[in-house]
Amino acid sequence: MSGANRVLRGRRPAQPSLLYAIKQVELVVRAHLDELLKPSGVTALQYTALTVLQRRDGQSSSAELARNSFVTPQAMADLVSGLERRGLIRRDRDPNNRRRLLLSLTDAGGAVLADNEPAVRALEEQMVADLDLAEREAFGHYLNRCRAALAVEPPH
C-alpha cells in the first residue's frame, strides 16, 4: 500500500465545502420553488424579484433590482419585461430623475405573492424543521452575515 493510501485509510471522508453545501441547498430550493410556483406561471427568479419589489416598492430601478437579485442587468431587463407584460409590475418615471424608471408591484403582482405565500412558507418550514428556534435564528443571522461579507462587487 502506498504512503498516500495509508494516510487516507482510517480517515473519514472529507465533508463538502460550505460553498458546495450552500449551492446544493440553493438548487434544491429553486427546484421546489419552480414546481410550487408553476401553477401561477412565474419562476423562482421572477418570484424573488417580486418579493424584492414588495419590500422596496417604487424605489428600485431595473439595475438595482438586478444587483439585489444577483443577476446581470440584461437578464433582469428580460425578466422585468416579462413581468410587466403579464401585468405583475409597472415602470414609472422617477419624479426626481426623469431618465430613471422605478419598478412597482401591481395588485396582480401582489396577488401572486399572497397566493403563493403559504406554500413558500411551508417549504421554508420543511427546510428548517430539524432546527430549534435558537438554531433557526442563528442560521438566519449567519446567512445574513455571510451575504453582507460578500456584498461587494466580485473580482473581474
Side-chain angles (χ1 to χ4, degrees):
M1 182 184 300
S2 74
N5 286 336
R6 275 193 299 263
V7 171
L8 292 176
R9 265 187 82 160
R11 285 182 45 201
R12 292 187 357 227
Q15 294 294 315
S17 72
L18 283 175
L19 291 177
Y20 178 83
I22 290 166
K23 184 63 177 178
Q24 292 302 301
V25 170
E26 185 228 347
L27 290 172
V28 74
V29 164
R30 188 168 181 171
H32 281 285
L33 272 176
D34 279 335
E35 190 61 33
L36 70 89
L37 294 168
K38 194 179 289 185
S40 62
V42 295
T43 66
L45 189 55
Q46 290 171 326
Y47 181 84
T48 300
L50 292 173
T51 64
V52 171
L53 287 178
Q54 184 179 44
R55 288 190 310 273
R56 300 184 41 82
D57 201 32
Q59 300 174 20
S60 295
S61 67
S62 182
E64 291 163 337
L65 185 58
R67 280 191 297 279
N68 289 329
S69 301
F70 305 102
V71 299
T72 66
Q74 178 58 42
M76 186 54 68
D78 294 343
L79 186 142
V80 163
S81 293
L83 292 173
E84 187 177 33
R85 272 192 307 277
R86 291 201 46 214
L88 302 178
I89 65 169
R90 71 174 188 274
R91 297 185 234 206
D92 299 303
R93 294 241 174 252
D94 182 342
N96 299 316
N97 179 351
R98 301 297 296 162
R99 292 181 298 178
R100 186 172 179 235
L101 293 173
L102 298 176
L103 306 174
S104 296
L105 203 58
T106 63
D107 289 344
V112 166
L113 292 177
D115 291 347
N116 287 288
E117 183 181 8
V120 171
R121 292 277 174 231
L123 175 60
E124 185 174 307
E125 179 59 33
Q126 179 184 350
M127 181 180 74
V128 297
D130 288 342
L131 304 179
D132 65 32
L133 182 59
E135 290 171 323
R136 289 176 189 208
E137 289 175 359
F139 181 59
H141 177 73
Y142 297 147
L143 286 175
N144 283 319
R145 283 177 53 191
C146 291
R147 181 184 45 78
L150 296 174
V152 297
E153 291 292 319
H156 298 298

